[in-house]
Amino acid sequence: MAVPLLRTLILYFAVVIAVRAMGKRQIGELDPSELVVTILVSDLAAVPMQDLGIPMFSGLVPIATLVALEILVSYVALKSRLFRRLLNGQPAIIIRGGLLDVKKLRQMRLTTDEIIETLRKQNVASVSDVKYGVIEPDGTLTVILKQPQQPVTAEMLGLTPKDTGLPLVVVSDGKLVARSLQLLRLDARDIENRLKNQSIALSEVFLMTLDDCGNSFIQRKGEA
């Protein structure tokens, strides 16, 4: 019982390390080569887990080889635009000036229903509202709206909204988050002083976020 458990744990962490080494993209955003490697790694790890007669290294060595190959291929793709296009393909414009490119749709084996569904998910009511629609190499649809349909921005209205930065969690369940403080170039005393000015103790805070522009959010424990 202990041997299968140990093998499973080792192979599990090996697959986690392999996936981490290849990057942090979602399944829908994987390049073809990355998707193939991910599938092969999972299959290679499953075989030694199920069959105790197979040496564990028979799974670990191919996994390490595939990850090394994927890293090498990614490096070459970074250096060579031609190789990157051959490996991952290139963007394809399927909508121009509010009209579908029927030839491109047939070439990519896409149906009009799929395009309309994707547009709805991006809150686009009609194909006629789209200036350009581009199928990216990862299969997602990027939409550039015509000018009358573009969202109104503060610049268009002549407004200057309050500046904001990237909010980081500085207090979680009454405890300071050291990495966030380091990124913001603050220390524990800075946060405690901020809380003290609002008559709040550190132990009372469930969540506090802070950005580099000084904007903060505080939720006390017990608040729903």
Side-chain angles (χ1 to χ4, degrees), residues 37-59:
V37 171
T38 302
I39 294 172
L40 289 175
V41 165
S42 62
D43 286 342
L44 287 169
V47 174
M49 285 185 189
Q50 297 171 353
D51 190 346
L52 299 181
I54 298 177
M56 192 166 57
F57 280 100
S58 297

Side-chain angles (χ1 to χ4, degrees), residues 57-131:
F57 280 100
S58 297
L60 294 177
V61 172
I63 289 174
T65 303
L66 284 173
V67 172
L69 178 62
E70 172 57 28
I71 293 173
L72 177 62
V73 167
S74 299
Y75 178 77
V76 175
L78 285 174
K79 297 296 182 180
S80 172
R81 184 177 179 85
L82 177 61
F83 181 77
R84 187 163 62 248
R85 285 187 174 184
L86 290 173
L87 187 68
N88 302 323
Q90 55 186 333
I93 301 175
I94 62 168
I95 303 176
R96 290 177 184 269
L99 295 174
L100 290 167
D101 187 329
V102 179
K103 184 178 178 180
K104 277 290 182 184
L105 289 179
R106 289 174 179 171
Q107 184 181 3
M108 303 186 72
R109 297 184 297 279
L110 293 172
T111 66
T112 53
D113 289 338
E114 290 173 325
I115 301 302
I116 297 301
E117 179 184 350
T118 305
L119 291 176
R120 285 200 303 266
K121 289 179 179 179
Q122 299 192 36
N123 296 319
V124 179
S126 173
V127 176
S128 61
D129 296 338
V130 181
K131 185 176 182 180

